[in-house]
Amino acid sequence: VWGAPGKYAVELTVDGVAGRRDLEVRSDPRVKLTSNGFQAEFALARKIEQARVRVRSAIAGAIKLHDELKARREKAEPARLVDIGLLLAKLKNIANIPEEIPLDTKPLPAPAKPGLQDISARLDALAQAVDGADAAPTPDAISGFQKASKALDALLIEWGALQTKAGRD
């Protein structure tokens, strides 16, 4: 995230030696944006970045769980195959991880809502639009973030429940 114009302190520690410098970020003189506009842009860009970190962490966890479930399926007794197949199918719906479903398992219907990968792509596009503009956030950008954030929060609840059901915390 680009920093808004203002005064900052930069701290760096290398090999145990700490250094600190003050720095001032100035706006491009060609950009006609108020201080409030810069602050609003920066605040939304930070929120988007925080959501991107959350979704990417969940995706990494989902990929790991996917691999664990596939390994369990290889060693599972026949009675457990259906349960593991259902977990994999739910994981596919939450995280958009493609998965072949065993023939003895009824596939779940296609998800009616976006998965983690979809939300990640939305947030990436929003980050580019907000951080790449020298303007206060548009109503569409604010609304888009609110919708993506709400969808992410709901999916992270489902993701947590799936982790618990799969025997992981």
Side-chain angles (χ1 to χ4, degrees):
V1 174
W2 292 98
K7 294 183 181 193
Y8 296 89
V10 178
E11 297 180 9
L12 179 65
T13 303
V14 177
D15 295 329
V17 179
R20 178 188 165 118
R21 299 284 171 134
D22 292 331
L23 125 85
E24 183 177 356
V25 174
R26 297 183 193 146
S27 64
D28 184 328
R30 298 169 295 176
V31 174
K32 306 299 179 209
L33 186 60
T34 66
S35 177
N36 287 344
F38 276 118
Q39 291 301 325
E41 176 186 28
F42 182 67
L44 182 57
R46 290 285 309 261
K47 288 179 185 177
I48 293 169
E49 186 58 29
Q50 291 165 351
R52 290 171 79 192
V53 168
R54 289 172 58 215
V55 75
R56 291 210 170 106
S57 175
I59 289 169
I63 290 168
K64 185 176 179 186
L65 178 58
H66 177 263
D67 294 343
E68 288 173 12
L69 288 172
K70 285 183 79 169
R72 279 190 216 170
R73 185 174 64 189
E74 296 296 322
K75 299 174 186 174
E77 298 174 13
R80 293 279 301 141
L81 289 176
V82 171
D83 291 337
I84 294 171
L86 287 173
L87 287 172
L88 283 164
K90 287 180 183 177
L91 183 60
K92 175 185 178 183
N93 285 347
I94 291 172
N96 309 105
I97 296 175
E99 178 58 37
E100 62 286 350
I101 299 172
L103 294 175
D104 58 349
T105 304
K106 286 185 176 181
L108 297 176
K113 59 186 176 216
L116 293 172
Q117 302 272 10
D118 300 320
I119 292 172
S120 180
R122 270 195 219 169
L123 290 169
D124 290 347
L126 272 170
Q128 186 176 9
V130 170
D131 216 22
D134 289 322
T138 65
D140 285 344
I142 294 168
S143 172
F145 173 71
Q146 289 169 342
K147 289 175 184 174
S149 183
K150 185 177 178 181
L152 175 59
D153 289 344
L155 265 179
L156 290 178
I157 290 170
E158 286 184 51
W159 165 233
L162 179 61
Q163 286 180 293
T164 299
K165 190 168 187 172
R168 290 181 56 215
D169 288 323

mmCIF file of all heavy atoms in Angstrom, residues 8 27-28 48 90 99 101 113 152:
data_model
loop_
_atom_site.group_PDB
_atom_site.id
_atom_site.type_symbol
_atom_site.label_atom_id
_atom_site.label_comp_id
_atom_site.label_asym_id
_atom_site.label_seq_id
_atom_site.Cartn_x
_atom_site.Cartn_y
_atom_site.Cartn_z
ATOM 1 N N TYR A 8 6.617 10.617 8.520
ATOM 2 C CA TYR A 8 6.766 9.250 9.004
ATOM 3 C C TYR A 8 8.140 9.085 9.640
ATOM 4 O O TYR A 8 9.057 9.863 9.374
ATOM 5 C CB TYR A 8 6.654 8.249 7.845
ATOM 6 C CG TYR A 8 5.311 8.237 7.171
ATOM 7 C CD1 TYR A 8 5.034 9.090 6.104
ATOM 8 C CD2 TYR A 8 4.315 7.366 7.595
ATOM 9 C CE1 TYR A 8 3.797 9.084 5.480
ATOM 10 C CE2 TYR A 8 3.071 7.350 6.979
ATOM 11 C CZ TYR A 8 2.818 8.210 5.921
ATOM 12 O OH TYR A 8 1.596 8.195 5.314
ATOM 13 N N SER A 27 2.925 14.769 -1.839
ATOM 14 C CA SER A 27 2.114 14.364 -2.990
ATOM 15 C C SER A 27 2.720 14.922 -4.269
ATOM 16 O O SER A 27 3.436 15.927 -4.260
ATOM 17 C CB SER A 27 0.670 14.849 -2.836
ATOM 18 O OG SER A 27 0.623 16.251 -2.838
ATOM 19 N N ASP A 28 2.427 14.254 -5.345
ATOM 20 C CA ASP A 28 2.823 14.734 -6.669
ATOM 21 C C ASP A 28 2.126 16.078 -6.881
ATOM 22 O O ASP A 28 0.904 16.170 -6.725
ATOM 23 C CB ASP A 28 2.376 13.699 -7.704
ATOM 24 C CG ASP A 28 2.796 14.024 -9.123
ATOM 25 O OD1 ASP A 28 2.885 15.219 -9.470
ATOM 26 O OD2 ASP A 28 3.026 13.070 -9.879
ATOM 27 N N ILE A 48 -8.153 -3.265 2.437
ATOM 28 C CA ILE A 48 -8.104 -4.253 1.354
ATOM 29 C C ILE A 48 -6.895 -5.160 1.548
ATOM 30 O O ILE A 48 -6.997 -6.385 1.423
ATOM 31 C CB ILE A 48 -8.082 -3.563 -0.023
ATOM 32 C CG1 ILE A 48 -9.416 -2.857 -0.291
ATOM 33 C CG2 ILE A 48 -7.774 -4.574 -1.128
ATOM 34 C CD1 ILE A 48 -9.396 -1.920 -1.495
ATOM 35 N N LYS A 90 -16.815 -30.198 -0.056
ATOM 36 C CA LYS A 90 -17.087 -28.939 0.652
ATOM 37 C C LYS A 90 -15.891 -27.995 0.540
ATOM 38 O O LYS A 90 -16.055 -26.790 0.380
ATOM 39 C CB LYS A 90 -17.415 -29.216 2.115
ATOM 40 C CG LYS A 90 -18.783 -29.819 2.309
ATOM 41 C CD LYS A 90 -19.072 -30.084 3.772
ATOM 42 C CE LYS A 90 -20.419 -30.769 3.923
ATOM 43 N NZ LYS A 90 -20.714 -31.109 5.319
ATOM 44 N N GLU A 99 -11.452 -30.718 -7.476
ATOM 45 C CA GLU A 99 -11.318 -32.041 -6.879
ATOM 46 C C GLU A 99 -12.216 -33.015 -7.626
ATOM 47 O O GLU A 99 -13.374 -32.729 -7.895
ATOM 48 C CB GLU A 99 -11.732 -31.994 -5.402
ATOM 49 C CG GLU A 99 -11.685 -33.324 -4.691
ATOM 50 C CD GLU A 99 -10.306 -33.962 -4.736
ATOM 51 O OE1 GLU A 99 -9.306 -33.242 -4.647
ATOM 52 O OE2 GLU A 99 -10.230 -35.183 -4.896
ATOM 53 N N ILE A 101 -14.455 -36.135 -7.507
ATOM 54 C CA ILE A 101 -15.253 -36.733 -6.445
ATOM 55 C C ILE A 101 -15.430 -38.213 -6.773
ATOM 56 O O ILE A 101 -15.799 -38.560 -7.895
ATOM 57 C CB ILE A 101 -16.618 -36.020 -6.329
ATOM 58 C CG1 ILE A 101 -16.370 -34.547 -5.983
ATOM 59 C CG2 ILE A 101 -17.493 -36.679 -5.291
ATOM 60 C CD1 ILE A 101 -17.591 -33.684 -6.021
ATOM 61 N N LYS A 113 -22.292 -19.121 -4.276
ATOM 62 C CA LYS A 113 -21.566 -17.934 -3.832
ATOM 63 C C LYS A 113 -20.094 -18.095 -4.178
ATOM 64 O O LYS A 113 -19.620 -19.200 -4.421
ATOM 65 C CB LYS A 113 -21.758 -17.736 -2.337
ATOM 66 C CG LYS A 113 -21.277 -18.899 -1.525
ATOM 67 C CD LYS A 113 -21.613 -18.713 -0.072
ATOM 68 C CE LYS A 113 -21.174 -19.969 0.661
ATOM 69 N NZ LYS A 113 -21.999 -20.350 1.692
ATOM 70 N N LEU A 152 -16.103 -12.656 2.507
ATOM 71 C CA LEU A 152 -14.927 -13.284 3.104
ATOM 72 C C LEU A 152 -15.198 -13.691 4.547
ATOM 73 O O LEU A 152 -14.870 -14.812 4.951
ATOM 74 C CB LEU A 152 -13.719 -12.346 3.034
ATOM 75 C CG LEU A 152 -12.445 -12.838 3.721
ATOM 76 C CD1 LEU A 152 -11.984 -14.171 3.132
ATOM 77 C CD2 LEU A 152 -11.349 -11.788 3.615
#
